[in-house]
Amino acid sequence: HYYITNNLRMSILGVVVVSLLLLTVGGQDINTRIHKPGYCMMKADGDPSPRTGNYVRYANEPAQPIDFITKLVLKDLCPDIAAGEKVCCDSSQAATLKGSVAAAQSLLTKCEVSWKNFVSLYCKFTCSPDQSLFVNATDLELSADGTFYNVERVSTFLTNEYKSKYYNSIKDVSLPSANMKAIVALCGTTKCDQNRFFQFMGDNPLSPFTIDYPTEVPDNKDNGTIVPLEAETLKFCYEKETNDSWRCSCQDCPSELTCAAPPNIPAPKSPFLILGFDGPLIILLIVYLALFLLCLVHLSINIHYRRLNQMDPMTRSASIASSISERHIEVLQGNINKGCRIVDQILHNFFTSWATFAVSHPWTVIMCAVVVVGACCGGMYFFVLTSAPIDLWSAPLSQTRLEKNKFDATFVPFYRTTQVIITAPNVPSFNYTVHRDELDGPVEQTFSGVFRKDIFTKIFNLQAGIMSVTASLDNRTIGVKDVCFIPLAPDVNECALISPFQWFQNNRASVDVVVIDNKNGHNATYLEHIYRCVSSPLETADGSYDTMSCMTTFTGPAQVNIALGGFSEKGDPLQADAIVLSLPLNNHKNESLNADAEAWESAFIEYMRGWSDPDIELAFMAERSIEDELQREAYQDIFTVALSYFLMFGYVAIMLGKVSCCAETGVSLYCIRRWLVDAKISLGLAGVMFVLLSVLGSLGIFSYAGYKSTVIIMEVIPFLVLAVGVDNIFILVQAVQRDYLLVGETGNEQLVRIFADVAPSMLLSAASEVIAFACGSLSSQPAVHDFSLYASVAVLLNFLLQVSVFLVLLSWDRQRELAERVDVFCCVGASSDVHLSDGETRPRSPLYLLVSKVWVPALLNTTVVRFIVMSFFGLTFCLSIAAIPHLSIGLDQQLALPKDSYVGPYFIYLNKYLEVGAPVYFVVELEDDQGNYSLNASSLTGQNQLCGVSGCNVDSVVSLVNIYANFSDFSRLAQPPNSWIDDYFDWLEPTDEYYSCCRYYSGGEKENQFCASTDDQESCSMCIESEYDHHRPTSQQFQQYLEWYLKDNPTTKGFGCTKGGHAAYGDAVKYTAVERSDKKGAASSNISAAYFMTYHTTCRNSSDFIDAYRQARNLSELIKQNVNGNVYPYSVFYVYYEMYVTMVNQVAINLSVCIFAVFIVSFVLLNFNFMSSVITTTTVLMITVNVLGMMYLLNININPVSLVNLVMSVGISVEFSSHITRSFSLSRQPGRVDRAKEALAKTGSSVLSGIFMTKLIGISVLAFAKSQIFEIYYFKMYVCIVLLGMLHGLVFLPVFLTFFGPARNTEPLRTSGYKKIETEANERDPILPK
């Protein structure tokens, strides 16, 4: 939205020329110059110049007396000269001088001293009575008629101090709408310094002759001495012009007197090191080593005393375990054990009663379950899947989400972005000699391969193809101009496309233009023009290339850092590795109004996916791309989910059955028949179906409630419930398989008895998971909150189905098995030879034998092994803790997309080539929620709190943003803000009848209506008749003309008013117009909100985005302290990165709450046994910490996805620890080692086959998923969780229990029958290995 007109450029660059053309001098001897006070050097009536305008006539004669009209014209412009008696100009020349500098005044008047310094030189140059003292005509040429001499070259003498002071006083004056310095327009290039400035002002294509600014006065024989202008006549920009005037603002004159204090930039945090190593790690290792040595000494003492007492090996383990003083623990827990028996009895009685009812009334249970589950799944009718990124990552009530909604409602939503990044990596760079002008001379310039003619042309044609893309919707043809952002509509119907081809006004033929330069013997090509536009993007007439403009078709500049990419490290945009095409489309808060734009974007994507060229590589994206790809990803991984469920069914069906006979006797007919009876295919299928139904039920329940399911829900919940929902089946079924019928006991009675013993363990794991997930739903992050809600309900439904319908199916299956009937085909009976004879025991499964006969003795029989295990897990725990502070935060955007997504390369290109960050808006709300105005922007006080010109507060909005932008590495702000209010002051500034931007019709049909700068000048009058105080409008004037300003288009037509606010600020101010009876007809506008826009620096990774948001928020809080209104920052990416500011706290809080919930549930369901609860919670904590340590090793960041997995790891970890801990606490073996052996032998194989293997198989298919987030955040993290859970549950926990396990349960056995069967079982197949 940045504009500067050709008239403006001619006025600025030709200010000296216009002045010289109007000089009045008389005849003089050309051989001798008179350099004396009171003498002129030239006057303006020479021959036409071949360059532009006219030469001036040499006239070294005395100055003329000043007349009244000349004095009146010069009074405000050149007050010092107007106060004198003689001048070297007349009234017409003075008037023309005033008009010629009017455009420059619009740039510099916001800093009064800068403007006065600037114009003072041209006042002296044009009208000073002592002109000859500092101006010398050096080259003369006889006129065409031979009556006088034309001046072809002059020298203007200024001291070095004058030049420096003059240049420094104007070099920082800003152009708010263009977001650059005014010196760019005055210097002709962005690469400006003092020498270049004076060179360009003295010799440019718009000057009729050359003006030199020599540094030394030459020796000559002239009459008199040349006296250069001294710096004492100038003021520093931070000084006041008069006692009553205001200093320049910080934005236009950075200094201690004009600027607020710079930001307090903290010193970079040095890492905490000890002897050059990571400090926390060293401390943890020292603590660990101390504990290790302490335990080693303790172990050595025990071994020593054991040898002294000559204890036999069979009692060795029990003795060492007893060294922890189990007797003391039993005393401490004695009172609690009484309560334990009550809780255990309550659970036992409840589950006995429930199981009895279920097996006695199977159809009642099934029908009730069908009704409940069917009702839950019925909610799937209302199921809605959203893949909108904002719904995935931003909480509806988060601060940035509310601010985004407020911004969209107050102003307009940010544009829909369509962008193409194009490179030519295999095309080499090339050198080209650029002939710019006499100032620079020939320049040997290196151009990157994208500027090679054939490549540049291909990319040009690509842009033309994109702009011709059309789409069809509702029998309508939609073109790009139907949906793109058109800043100057309706005056200029051109899209705001930013690309290098805008330097050629998107005219392909212009690239082929060759300008013949006979003077320099060089033909100028398109490369000269590119060179010019890169160095001077505001150029409106490139003299070396057919006077072609660098301005776009929508009359704004094509900013170099947006149009080109990949040049920051090289420091030269002409060596850019990429060309960037950026096309903003209109966006609407009402999504239905975006249908046309979405249709065009679809056609654009289709066109781009079909475009290719062997020499060109590109990446592209439209606004809808991410959402489309996320939605495609959700459906793409349906096969992965289905495969996982199929594999799980196969595994469960096989492993639930007994295959041990085949392992011992080999494959035989008997074995096959026996397996057909022992198989559990039906139960396996039912178990997997229950998992699926519980997932659908959970989705249905929340669909009833109006929740939208997200991609994360669909990706995670099926795997989670599958992983945690099958293990209880194994626990229950294998408990039945390992049990024996009591004498006279039926199959159902046996099942009831076993279920009453196993159900509390199932309840423990399920309740821990449900409550842990429910606690996770307290998180404000949508991904974590929604996952936790869905997971807790799904796990609860699955548990209820397991203890109801599955129990019924198991009772039927038990009856089938006892009747020796084949699984699945239950009406088919097996041969009688498969029937077990009385007293015959079925062999244990190989996995059970492996655990009880091999693993248990290897792990627990030897004290040294147990000590090594404790030491190893303690070391890994310490290392994991040390790694946690080094975890990175954030989520790479491309990881959320499928591997084959076309958007993935775009994010890579974006990070690699982008040279500008996202726009950021600092919004000031001047009206509170009750409609009261906390800040009146039209008052002088209100203006000073907002603006950035002379007289504004040093801590105003614009000033503070500008100061922080000067420290871009810290603030992440790339440039000063665009200030609508500063440009409004300039737009209102009255200069004269011709050049004022604010005008109205003084008569005719349009009387009292706004008169644009392109309209008839004679019928329009200025809004403000005379110069207002301190260049500020009154409160009434401010309100009265604001609406006109915001609707006025900047233009290059007419006299060219470049300060119109419609293009740059049309949506920047929210106001209400109140009609008034003023003669000029403008409505009075009350401002309720406004924004000031700038850009962030380039953000290439998550940490950059997080820091950019954090710094913008901090700056807003600082601004809020100095403005009577609410202030907040807004940028499109804030809603996605706000959560990361508090991510560390969120992780700590969520995991702490979940682990604490596990402790409470364990404490209650483990019979109020404090030590058992502590051990279970400790194991869960260690698994979670180790998972965090593995995340560091695998380079997995902390983000909502990994937090979801961490919350899930808490629930899964419970399963690996709770069953063994409960079995240990109920064991009646005499010592801790023996109780640990019994617990591990009884439940270890179930944990291994029913928990570890089920989860491992379920997640193994994720390795083949096409989603990158599946591969990294689900597969890798799940594998870590499962492996670490298995190692802690089957290795660490049993050993830990031998040292710190709870006291032995002294409760007597419930029934003699149970004691009988347990005793008989141990006699047949002892559990404790010898």
Side-chain angles (χ1 to χ4, degrees):
H1 316 303
Y2 315 130
Y3 301 85
I4 189 163
T5 68
N6 186 40
N7 303 61
L8 173 63
R9 171 54 58 79
M10 292 181 67
S11 298
I12 297 172
L13 302 183
V15 128
V16 179
V17 177
V18 174
S19 303
L20 291 174
L21 291 174
L22 302 168
L23 293 174
T24 303
V25 297
Q28 180 69 33
D29 181 9
I30 66 171
N31 296 319
T32 303
R33 311 285 190 269
I34 299 176
H35 300 290
K36 292 182 179 180
Y39 272 78
C40 303
M41 183 61 64
M42 303 162 291
K43 68 178 182 181
D45 54 0
D47 293 335
S49 170
R51 298 168 72 174
T52 182
N54 292 332
Y55 285 121
V56 293
R57 179 184 298 185
Y58 171 67
N60 192 198
E61 62 186 25
Q64 302 297 318
I66 186 171
D67 59 67
F68 174 77
I69 297 177
T70 302
K71 182 183 290 288
L72 186 64
V73 174
L74 295 179
K75 179 180 179 181
D76 294 328
L77 191 66
C78 312
D80 294 340
I81 295 176
E85 298 179 354
K86 293 184 178 183
V87 291
C88 287
C89 63
D90 58 20
S91 59
S92 63
Q93 297 155 11
T96 307
L97 171 64
K98 183 176 182 180
S100 68
V101 298
Q105 183 178 6
S106 69
L107 299 179
L108 301 176
T109 191
K110 60 201 299 282
C111 178
E112 188 173 3
V113 170
S114 299
W115 161 241
K116 292 297 184 181
N117 284 350
F118 177 85
V119 77
S120 67
L121 175 59
Y122 301 112
C123 286
K124 291 181 173 62
F125 200 73
T126 304
C127 296
S128 172
D130 301 323
Q131 185 190 72
S132 66
L133 287 178
F134 58 90
V135 176
N136 188 38
T138 56
D139 291 349
L140 304 178
E141 182 178 338
L142 189 63
S143 65
D145 59 7
T147 61
F148 61 90
Y149 284 90
N150 292 311
V151 176
E152 287 195 331
R153 196 180 195 100
V154 299
S155 294
T156 301
F157 293 91
L158 311 172
T159 64
N160 290 331
E161 292 78 8
Y162 185 101
K163 290 181 180 180
S164 176
K165 196 171 183 180
Y166 184 89
Y167 174 77
N168 288 331
S169 70
I170 64 176
K171 69 181 179 67
D172 290 312
V173 178
S174 61
L175 293 176
S177 62
N179 223 321
M180 60 178 62
K181 300 297 183 182
I183 198 69
V184 174
L186 300 173
C187 202
T189 179
T190 55
K191 300 176 181 179
C192 189
D193 56 23
Q194 178 179 307
N195 292 333
R196 170 72 193 195
F197 169 74
F198 282 103
Q199 287 175 352
F200 187 76
M201 292 301 292
D203 188 5
N204 60 76
L206 300 179
S207 175
F209 58 90
T210 302
I211 306 169
D212 297 319
Y213 293 91
T215 56
E216 296 181 359
V217 177
D219 294 331
N220 55 55
K221 299 179 181 180
D222 291 343
N223 186 356
T225 303
I226 294 175
V227 181
L229 291 179
E230 295 288 345
E232 284 75 9
T233 60
L234 303 174
K235 290 181 179 293
F236 293 103
C237 64
Y238 54 78
E239 295 181 285
K240 293 182 178 181
E241 180 64 25
T242 65
N243 292 333
D244 296 332
S245 62
W246 290 330
R247 285 190 176 92
C248 295
S249 68
C250 179
Q251 190 172 6
D252 300 321
C253 176
S255 72
E256 293 182 358
L257 294 176
T258 59
C259 295
N264 183 19
I265 302 176
K269 292 183 178 180
S270 300
F272 174 46
L273 301 176
I274 297 178
L275 300 177
F277 297 96
D278 185 65
L281 175 61
I282 297 300
I283 293 175
L284 285 170
L285 290 178
I286 292 174
V287 172
Y288 167 77
L289 184 61
L291 293 175
F292 175 83
L293 293 176
L294 183 63
C295 293
L296 185 61
V297 170
H298 179 73
L299 177 63
S300 300
I301 293 175
N302 278 278
I303 293 176
H304 175 70
Y305 279 106
R306 185 190 62 194
R307 288 176 176 173
L308 290 178
N309 296 329
Q310 296 181 346
M311 302 179 71
D312 65 272
M314 294 302 296
T315 60
R316 194 172 298 171
S317 59
S319 175
I320 294 176
S322 299
S323 66
I324 307 298
S325 188
E326 183 172 347
R327 187 184 310 168
H328 292 90
I329 297 177
E330 288 181 356
V331 172
L332 292 174
Q333 296 183 348
N335 295 327
I336 296 179
N337 283 336
K338 297 178 182 178
C340 294
R341 289 188 286 270
I342 296 175
V343 173
D344 191 48
Q345 194 64 48
I346 291 174
L347 292 176
H348 184 272
N349 293 340
F350 171 77
F351 284 117
T352 299
S353 300
W354 167 248
T356 302
F357 173 82
V359 299
S360 302
H361 305 82
W363 288 109
T364 302
V365 173
I366 291 177
M367 293 306 299
C368 290
V370 169
V371 171
V372 173
V373 174
C376 293
C377 294
M380 291 298 293
Y381 178 80
F382 306 99
F383 176 79
V384 176
L385 176 65
T386 177
S387 54
I390 194 170
D391 293 330
L392 295 177
W393 310 116
S394 177
L397 298 180
S398 66
Q399 184 177 8
T400 54
R401 184 75 173 272
L402 295 175
E403 290 170 350
K404 178 190 183 301
N405 295 338
K406 189 188 304 183
F407 182 91
D408 292 347
T410 304
F411 307 106
V412 292
F414 190 74
Y415 312 113
R416 300 177 66 88
T417 302
T418 304
Q419 197 168 58
V420 184
I421 303 175
I422 307 133
T423 65
N426 298 322
V427 180
S429 300
F430 62 98
N431 293 328
Y432 178 85
T433 301
V434 178
H435 290 73
R436 285 304 312 141
D437 48 42
E438 295 183 4
L439 292 179
D440 294 331
V443 177
E444 187 73 16
Q445 176 64 47
T446 299
F447 288 85
S448 68
V450 293
F451 293 112
R452 194 175 291 275
K453 183 68 175 292
D454 57 336
I455 301 299
F456 196 68
T457 301
K458 289 180 180 180
I459 302 175
F460 210 147
N461 293 334
L462 170 62
Q463 175 183 293
I466 292 173
M467 299 304 290
S468 64
V469 168
T470 59
S472 297
L473 181 66
D474 298 333
N475 297 321
R476 294 181 294 114
T477 299
I478 301 169
V480 66
K481 289 188 177 181
D482 296 320
V483 294
C484 72
F485 171 62
I486 303 177
L488 295 184
D491 296 346
V492 180
N493 189 32
E494 294 291 341
C495 299
L497 170 68
I498 300 295
S499 80
F501 310 111
Q502 285 280 21
W503 297 331
F504 300 88
Q505 291 72 57
N506 294 330
N507 185 354
R508 168 66 183 80
S510 297
V511 179
D512 297 326
V513 171
V514 177
V515 178
I516 300 175
D517 185 356
N518 294 323
K519 179 179 178 180
N520 296 316
H522 172 73
N523 296 335
T525 68
Y526 73 102
L527 294 173
E528 261 89 4
H529 188 59
I530 292 175
Y531 181 95
R532 179 62 176 171
C533 294
V534 167
S535 61
S536 183
L538 299 179
E539 180 63 69
T540 57
D542 184 358
S544 66
Y545 196 69
D546 203 25
T547 64
M548 186 180 295
S549 173
C550 292
M551 306 298 275
T552 65
T553 54
F554 60 92
T555 72
Q559 299 96 315
V560 176
N561 59 350
I562 297 178
L564 301 176
F567 60 82
S568 57
E569 294 182 359
K570 302 173 185 176
D572 184 0
L574 295 174
Q575 298 183 45
D577 293 324
I579 286 177
V580 183
L581 311 181
S582 301
L583 177 64
L585 306 184
N586 290 318
N587 201 1
H588 303 278
K589 187 173 179 62
N590 186 347
E591 286 296 330
S592 63
L593 299 178
N594 290 324
D596 287 359
E598 291 175 351
W600 187 88
E601 288 170 351
S602 294
F604 160 78
I605 293 170
E606 183 179 358
Y607 174 81
M608 292 303 303
R609 299 190 76 167
W611 192 93
S612 64
D613 187 276
D615 297 322
I616 293 175
E617 294 181 5
L618 57 78
F620 63 93
M621 190 194 76
E623 186 72 19
R624 66 175 299 160
S625 294
I626 296 178
E627 187 170 348
D628 286 349
E629 290 299 282
L630 289 176
Q631 191 168 14
R632 182 172 70 91
E633 179 183 47
Y635 292 106
Q636 191 178 49
D637 288 318
I638 292 178
F639 173 77
T640 304
V641 175
L643 179 61
S644 178
Y645 274 67
F646 177 78
L647 290 178
M648 184 63 71
F649 163 68
Y651 172 79
V652 172
I654 294 174
M655 294 305 296
L656 278 182
K658 297 178 181 179
V659 294
S660 54
C661 67
C662 297
E664 294 185 359
T665 64
V667 178
S668 62
L669 182 61
Y670 170 81
C671 179
I672 294 175
R673 291 174 178 174
R674 181 70 261 166
W675 181 84
L676 290 176
V677 173
D678 293 339
K680 296 291 183 288
I681 298 176
S682 302
L683 289 180
L685 178 61
V688 175
M689 289 299 299
F690 292 158
V691 170
L692 183 59
L693 288 174
S694 64
V695 172
L696 295 176
S698 178
L699 294 174
I701 289 173
F702 289 103
S703 295
Y704 279 127
Y707 277 73
K708 292 182 179 180
S709 295
T710 63
V711 175
I712 289 183
I713 298 298
M714 300 305 298
E715 290 176 342
V716 182
I717 297 299
F719 289 102
L720 169 68
V721 183
L722 184 64
V724 304
V726 179
D727 52 358
N728 282 339
I729 294 176
F730 273 85
I731 297 294
L732 180 58
V733 172
Q734 291 180 354
V736 173
Q737 290 174 338
R738 293 168 187 166
D739 194 69
Y740 299 89
L741 282 171
L742 299 177
V743 178
E745 187 178 41
T746 65
N748 281 347
E749 291 173 346
Q750 179 197 27
L751 181 60
V752 169
R753 172 172 54 80
I754 296 173
F755 181 78
D757 288 333
V758 175
S761 184
M762 297 170 58
L763 176 64
L764 173 59
S765 62
S768 298
E769 291 164 354
V770 170
I771 295 178
F773 292 141
C775 291
S777 68
L778 299 176
S779 172
S780 61
Q781 297 177 12
V784 181
H785 174 269
D786 294 349
F787 159 78
S788 299
L789 280 179
Y790 282 83
S792 61
V793 172
V795 172
L796 177 62
L797 288 176
N798 187 63
F799 172 75
L800 294 177
L801 288 173
Q802 288 174 346
V803 298
S804 56
V805 180
F806 187 82
L807 178 62
V808 171
L809 297 180
L810 181 60
S811 70
W812 288 350
D813 185 79
R814 184 61 176 155
Q815 295 174 23
R816 175 198 62 77
E817 187 177 7
L818 292 175
E820 306 295 346
R821 296 188 177 274
V822 177
D823 189 26
V824 181
F825 305 100
C826 54
C827 295
V828 179
S831 302
S832 58
D833 59 351
V834 302
H835 184 74
L836 294 177
S837 59
D838 293 340
E840 182 183 356
T841 62
R842 292 173 181 166
R844 301 285 189 180
S845 67
L847 190 60
Y848 180 86
L849 295 175
L850 176 66
V851 173
S852 61
K853 303 298 183 181
V854 178
W855 180 245
V856 171
L859 179 67
L860 300 178
N861 271 2
T862 308
T863 305
V864 174
V865 172
R866 292 187 287 122
F867 181 77
I868 292 174
V869 168
M870 290 294 293
S871 302
F872 174 77
F873 280 90
L875 178 61
T876 58
F877 183 71
C878 291
L879 293 176
S880 298
I881 292 177
I884 291 175
H886 300 287
L887 284 170
S888 299
I889 297 176
L891 175 65
D892 291 337
Q893 301 174 83
Q894 62 266 29
L895 294 181
L897 303 169
K899 295 178 182 178
D900 58 349
S901 173
Y902 67 88
V903 184
Y906 170 79
F907 284 128
I908 296 175
Y909 276 40
L910 198 68
N911 293 335
K912 185 176 181 181
Y913 298 117
L914 196 67
E915 297 294 346
V916 65
V920 54
Y921 304 85
F922 289 92
V923 181
V924 181
E925 295 180 309
L926 289 70
E927 184 181 16
D928 59 25
D929 296 336
Q930 286 74 40
N932 301 316
Y933 286 88
S934 55
L935 175 62
N936 182 5
S938 64
S939 67
L940 184 61
T941 300
Q943 294 173 19
N944 288 341
Q945 291 185 18
L946 298 177
C947 63
V949 296
S950 298
C952 300
N953 296 350
V954 296
D955 51 10
S956 69
V957 176
V958 175
S959 297
L960 285 175
V961 176
N962 176 68
I963 291 172
Y964 273 67
N966 293 332
F967 299 89
S968 58
D969 290 341
F970 168 72
S971 67
R972 296 286 181 177
L973 298 179
Q975 57 194 32
N978 293 349
S979 175
W980 61 268
I981 191 170
D982 294 352
D983 278 338
Y984 183 38
F985 293 157
D986 293 341
W987 185 83
L988 283 173
E989 179 76 16
T991 52
D992 60 35
E993 197 71 15
Y994 188 76
Y995 284 98
S996 178
C997 289
C998 184
R999 300 178 307 145
Y1000 66 97
Y1001 286 99
S1002 54
E1005 296 181 356
K1006 297 182 179 180
E1007 184 177 5
N1008 297 331
Q1009 296 182 27
F1010 177 65
C1011 177
S1013 60
T1014 55
D1015 293 341
D1016 181 13
Q1017 310 297 324
E1018 296 182 357
S1019 61
C1020 298
S1021 300
M1022 289 193 303
C1023 299
I1024 302 175
E1025 303 296 340
S1026 61
E1027 183 175 337
Y1028 47 16
D1029 187 32
H1030 292 297
H1031 307 285
R1032 296 289 191 87
T1034 64
S1035 179
Q1036 178 181 343
Q1037 291 168 340
F1038 187 99
Q1039 294 179 338
Q1040 187 171 356
Y1041 303 116
L1042 179 65
E1043 186 175 12
W1044 285 357
Y1045 163 69
L1046 295 174
K1047 293 181 178 180
D1048 184 27
N1049 276 332
T1051 180
T1052 58
K1053 299 178 181 179
F1055 66 83
C1057 178
T1058 63
K1059 293 292 184 176
H1062 178 230
Y1065 308 120
D1067 298 319
V1069 182
K1070 177 69 173 180
Y1071 64 93
T1072 54
V1074 180
E1075 295 296 331
R1076 49 188 295 126
S1077 59
D1078 190 275
K1079 67 172 185 176
K1080 295 161 191 175
S1084 178
S1085 301
N1086 295 320
I1087 300 176
S1088 57
Y1091 66 66
F1092 299 85
M1093 190 199 82
T1094 182
Y1095 287 89
H1096 278 299
T1097 54
T1098 304
C1099 298
R1100 308 209 181 267
N1101 50 51
S1102 294
S1103 61
D1104 289 346
F1105 284 107
I1106 297 168
D1107 189 48
Y1109 166 71
R1110 182 186 291 111
Q1111 296 302 333
R1113 179 66 66 187
N1114 293 340
L1115 178 54
S1116 294
E1117 294 299 320
L1118 178 62
I1119 295 174
K1120 193 183 300 184
Q1121 298 174 12
N1122 303 288
V1123 174
N1124 297 331
N1126 182 44
V1127 181
Y1128 66 87
Y1130 169 73
S1131 190
V1132 289
F1133 67 85
Y1134 286 173
V1135 291
Y1136 305 110
Y1137 288 92
E1138 176 194 14
M1139 57 185 170
Y1140 293 115
V1141 175
T1142 59
M1143 178 59 71
V1144 173
N1145 293 336
Q1146 287 283 330
V1147 171
I1149 292 173
N1150 276 273
L1151 294 183
S1152 298
V1153 170
C1154 292
I1155 292 175
F1156 180 73
V1158 169
F1159 171 78
I1160 296 299
V1161 174
S1162 301
F1163 181 66
V1164 173
L1165 296 182
L1166 286 176
N1167 307 321
F1168 292 104
N1169 192 313
F1170 179 78
M1171 282 303 299
S1172 296
S1173 305
V1174 169
I1175 290 172
T1176 300
T1177 307
T1178 300
T1179 306
V1180 172
L1181 174 63
M1182 292 185 67
I1183 295 173
T1184 305
V1185 170
N1186 285 153
V1187 170
L1188 288 167
M1190 290 301 299
M1191 287 174 60
Y1192 171 75
L1193 294 178
L1194 296 174
N1195 198 27
I1196 298 177
N1197 293 350
I1198 292 289
N1199 51 52
V1201 180
S1202 57
L1203 180 53
V1204 164
N1205 292 336
L1206 289 171
V1207 171
M1208 185 177 66
S1209 74
V1210 174
I1212 292 178
S1213 300
V1214 173
E1215 299 188 351
F1216 284 103
S1217 57
S1218 60
H1219 299 297
I1220 293 178
T1221 303
R1222 185 174 187 275
S1223 181
F1224 179 90
S1225 65
L1226 296 178
S1227 174
R1228 297 167 186 83
Q1229 295 296 329
R1232 287 194 183 87
V1233 174
D1234 289 335
R1235 283 160 42 209
K1237 288 181 178 180
E1238 182 182 50
L1240 183 57
K1242 278 187 173 182
T1243 59
S1245 61
S1246 296
V1247 170
L1248 191 61
S1249 62
I1251 300 178
F1252 171 68
M1253 291 302 297
T1254 55
K1255 291 172 174 53
L1256 191 63
I1257 292 175
I1259 64 178
S1260 61
V1261 296
L1262 295 181
F1264 306 101
K1266 294 183 178 181
S1267 169
Q1268 297 181 83
I1269 206 167
F1270 259 61
E1271 179 183 349
I1272 296 175
Y1273 284 95
Y1274 296 147
F1275 175 69
K1276 290 184 179 179
M1277 285 197 69
Y1278 283 15
V1279 169
C1280 289
I1281 293 169
V1282 172
L1283 289 178
L1284 290 171
M1286 185 272 293
L1287 291 174
H1288 281 78
L1290 299 182
V1291 180
F1292 167 77
L1293 180 58
V1295 174
F1296 191 67
L1297 288 170
T1298 63
F1299 290 105
F1300 305 102
R1304 184 167 57 91
N1305 194 335
T1306 58
E1307 179 186 6
L1309 297 176
R1310 294 191 185 94
T1311 63
S1312 58
Y1314 188 91
K1315 179 177 181 181
K1316 175 183 177 182
I1317 192 64
E1318 182 179 52
T1319 303
E1320 181 183 352
N1322 282 329
E1323 290 176 353
R1324 295 180 180 180
D1325 186 16
I1327 291 177
L1328 294 180
K1330 305 302 181 185

